[in-house]
Amino acid sequence: MTHRALATRLSSLATLLAATLLLTGCDQQTTLHAGLPEQQANLVMAALIDSGIPCHKAPGDEGTWNVTVSEARFAEAVNLLERRGLPRRDYQGLGEVFKKTGMISSPSEERIRFMDALAQDLSRTIASIDGVVDARVHIVLPENDPFARNTLPSSAAVAVRSRWDADVTEYVPAIKGLVKNAIEGLSADKIMVTVFQDPPPRVP
């Protein structure tokens, strides 16, 4: 083999190696979410795959799962999941907040914990409505004196975040009814529901 032929062959091999390294680098996987319950990991993967973003699921610590995507599509995946409200926020229900720990709480502390647990239960239910990305319920239960002539009414404020392509305003009366029936002594006129609709995704 002549010197020129050898140089040409080496040059071709170098070009092929560089292209291989470039492709390998583009497909480098990075962790998108770690420590997810399997259901949440599956929801995340379904949303990514439906949008044409390849992803992988691998076992994590203590029965959890990790989801990875290509580094080249990491930002796209993050923005997509943010618009979808995935993975879902972890709400604590009444049973979780009031687990027996052996500690003694004051009546005021118990009351605050009850209000927080009730708000989280309601938030989780509202967030499960189709088109709702996230929901937060804020409850005010005045500690009225039972012998007082004038008492302060209970009230609630609900913030609902919806997908850009979903109109959830038709559910507002049902949301008010849900909150009203869950809180004793709360009237519908003391419940405020505000819907925040996500802006449409930017076209690249």
Side-chain angles (χ1 to χ4, degrees):
M1 183 179 294
T2 64
H3 185 291
R4 176 174 296 179
L6 179 61
T8 301
R9 186 171 182 179
L10 289 175
S11 177
S12 299
L13 288 173
T15 302
L16 179 60
L17 179 60
T20 302
L21 290 174
L22 180 62
L23 290 174
T24 303
C26 289
D27 197 40
Q28 182 68 37
Q29 294 289 302
T30 186
T31 301
L32 182 63
H33 283 288
L36 294 177
E38 187 169 15
Q39 182 186 24
Q40 291 285 354
N42 290 341
L43 289 173
V44 166
M45 290 188 66
L48 294 173
I49 293 171
D50 283 347
S51 299
I53 302 177
C55 56
H56 302 279
K57 184 177 74 172
D61 297 330
E62 299 180 357
T64 62
W65 294 85
N66 303 332
V67 178
T68 61
V69 295
S70 168
E71 282 187 350
R73 309 197 70 174
F74 180 80
E76 181 184 358
V78 169
N79 290 332
L80 171 69
L81 294 180
E82 170 63 20
R83 292 196 303 271
R84 298 285 185 89
L86 295 173
R88 290 287 186 179
R89 185 157 60 92
D90 186 22
Y91 298 94
Q92 286 188 307
L94 286 167
E96 294 168 300
V97 173
F98 284 94
K99 282 182 180 178
K100 292 184 178 179
T101 61
M103 299 175 63
I104 300 176
S105 301
S106 68
S108 295
E109 289 173 331
E110 288 292 320
R111 185 168 172 277
I112 291 172
R113 289 172 61 202
F114 173 77
M115 289 170 56
D116 179 61
L118 182 58
Q120 291 201 54
D121 263 354
L122 287 168
S123 298
R124 176 166 46 196
T125 302
I126 296 169
S128 67
I129 296 174
D130 185 38
V132 175
V133 175
D134 197 7
R136 291 181 182 271
V137 177
H138 303 274
I139 302 171
V140 178
L141 301 178
E143 198 168 0
N144 291 313
D145 183 346
F147 300 103
R149 177 173 298 180
N150 298 319
T151 59
L152 296 173
S154 301
S155 62
V158 184
V160 178
R161 177 186 165 202
S162 69
R163 292 200 316 262
W164 68 274
D165 58 348
D167 182 9
V168 301
T169 54
E170 61 179 303
Y171 298 120
V172 169
I175 292 173
K176 282 190 173 185
L178 174 69
V179 176
K180 175 181 177 294
N181 292 330
I183 302 174
E184 185 179 1
L186 180 62
S187 59
D189 62 312
K190 293 297 180 180
I191 304 172
M192 183 177 68
V193 179
T194 306
V195 177
F196 301 91
Q197 189 173 34
D198 281 352
R202 291 180 297 179
V203 179

